[in-house]
Amino acid sequence: MARSVLVTGGNRGIGLAIARRLAAGGDSVTVTSRSGEPLDGLAVVRCDVRDAASVDAAFAETEKRQGPVEVLVANAGVTRDQLLALMSEDDFAAVLDTNLAGAYRAARRAVRGMMRMRRGRLIFISSVVGLYGSGGQANYAASKAGLVGLARSLARELGSRGITSNVVAPGFVDSDMTAALPEERKAAILSAVPLGRYAAAEEVAAAVAFLGGPDAGYITGAVIPVDGGLGMGH
Ligand code: NDP
């Protein structure tokens, strides 16, 4: 049966691959984007996850079209890399506000309907660096580690309502975000990845499809790595 799915930041990169994968599996999928520009074959709502009213409006529009959200993929994320000594309050706060508080805002709004339905899947897109650490990314890694605490708390809080809450932690994925890295940084990363290559966004989408699907009904509070072995041992 088609489920109602919302993917934040689903207009490009990993989020778009997730949305396309779930839509191909027969789900009704809406993606959020900040521009609200139309996308081929997917419903789009405008949303800035830094703004609770904008999140609320995006859910209301999605629910009107496809019913209460049963699968939330909290994917929207940004980087503002800087060494700690040079990292401004604004660089730190802006990344936390989008990546961590944005996921909290989306989850808080999503669970309203999920609690009524007594089922739901919360899937948070973290990163290998949340647990591995990453020099020059203290803000980003802190936000991604925070998602693990958020997801696991919600797993405990909402399990009795039939709602699961899990994290997918991708390693380095071909996307606009990694295209911006300097060449020597990219080479250093690849040399540390046992599989010796970046992930395709579709490989992250496959893990999300599994967690959102019927075979993952008894999985909650998990952190699923899709990182080519980079973070093993977490
Ligand atoms: P992209 O930079 O390609 O896409 C980021 C997405 O987040 C865009 O859709 C963007 O929307 C959206 N977004 C950013 N800020 C906001 C906001 N304030 N409100 C709503 N949407 C927002 O990144 P990726 O596809 O690479 O990354 C997707 C997720 O995966 C992120 O959470 C990232 O941290 C994580 N990740 C990525 C890895 C990688 O190697 N690429 C590795 C591990 C994790 P807009 O188009 O409007 O800017």
Side-chain angles (χ1 to χ4, degrees), residues 146-169:
L147 288 176
V148 176
L150 175 66
R152 288 188 163 161
S153 299
L154 298 183
R156 293 190 189 281
E157 197 173 311
L158 298 166
S160 63
R161 310 293 187 112
I163 299 168
T164 68
S165 175
N166 291 293
V167 170
V168 172

Side-chain angles (χ1 to χ4, degrees), residues 80-89 91-92 134-139 185:
R80 279 214 206 168
D81 298 352
Q82 188 54 274
L83 298 173
L84 183 67
L86 301 172
M87 187 179 285
S88 67
E89 288 267 348
D91 288 337
F92 193 83
S134 176
Q137 292 196 301
N139 50 358
R185 184 84 204 279

Side-chain angles (χ1 to χ4, degrees), residues 59-211:
F59 270 82
E61 200 179 326
T62 303
E63 286 166 350
K64 213 159 101 192
R65 186 179 321 119
Q66 62 189 43
V69 172
E70 293 174 65
V71 181
L72 169 69
V73 184
N75 164 80
V78 291
T79 50
R80 279 214 206 168
D81 298 352
Q82 188 54 274
L83 298 173
L84 183 67
L86 301 172
M87 187 179 285
S88 67
E89 288 267 348
D90 189 48
D91 288 337
F92 193 83
V95 169
L96 268 288
D97 193 21
T98 300
N99 298 7
L100 181 55
Y104 140 78
R105 290 181 195 105
R108 184 179 58 171
R109 182 58 179 76
V111 300
R112 261 200 234 164
M114 291 178 181
M115 282 170 71
R116 250 180 257 123
M117 292 186 288
R118 300 192 72 81
R119 67 173 187 279
R121 302 282 168 96
L122 300 168
I123 302 168
F124 298 93
I125 307 302
S126 174
S127 163
V128 65
V129 306
L131 298 174
Y132 194 75
S134 176
Q137 292 196 301
N139 50 358
Y140 180 75
S143 73
K144 294 300 187 179
L147 288 176
V148 176
L150 175 66
R152 288 188 163 161
S153 299
L154 298 183
R156 293 190 189 281
E157 197 173 311
L158 298 166
S160 63
R161 310 293 187 112
I163 299 168
T164 68
S165 175
N166 291 293
V167 170
V168 172
F172 287 84
V173 181
D174 260 329
S175 77
D176 295 345
M177 197 176 261
T178 42
L181 292 171
E183 284 307 320
E184 67 267 21
R185 184 84 204 279
K186 288 189 201 170
I189 290 163
L190 284 183
S191 70
V193 177
L195 287 181
R197 63 172 179 86
Y198 284 173
E202 290 71 23
E203 291 173 307
V204 178
V208 173
F210 168 67
L211 286 173

Side-chain angles (χ1 to χ4, degrees), residues 7-58:
V7 183
T8 66
N11 55 313
R12 58 193 172 96
I14 295 171
L16 180 59
I18 292 168
R20 292 223 184 278
R21 168 76 193 240
L22 294 176
D27 289 326
S28 304
V29 182
T30 294
V31 302
T32 78
S33 85
R34 282 183 291 184
S35 67
E37 270 171 37
L39 271 177
D40 236 15
L42 287 169
V44 182
V45 289
R46 193 190 295 269
C47 176
D48 188 325
V49 297
R50 292 169 298 184
D51 174 5
S54 169
V55 170
D56 192 44

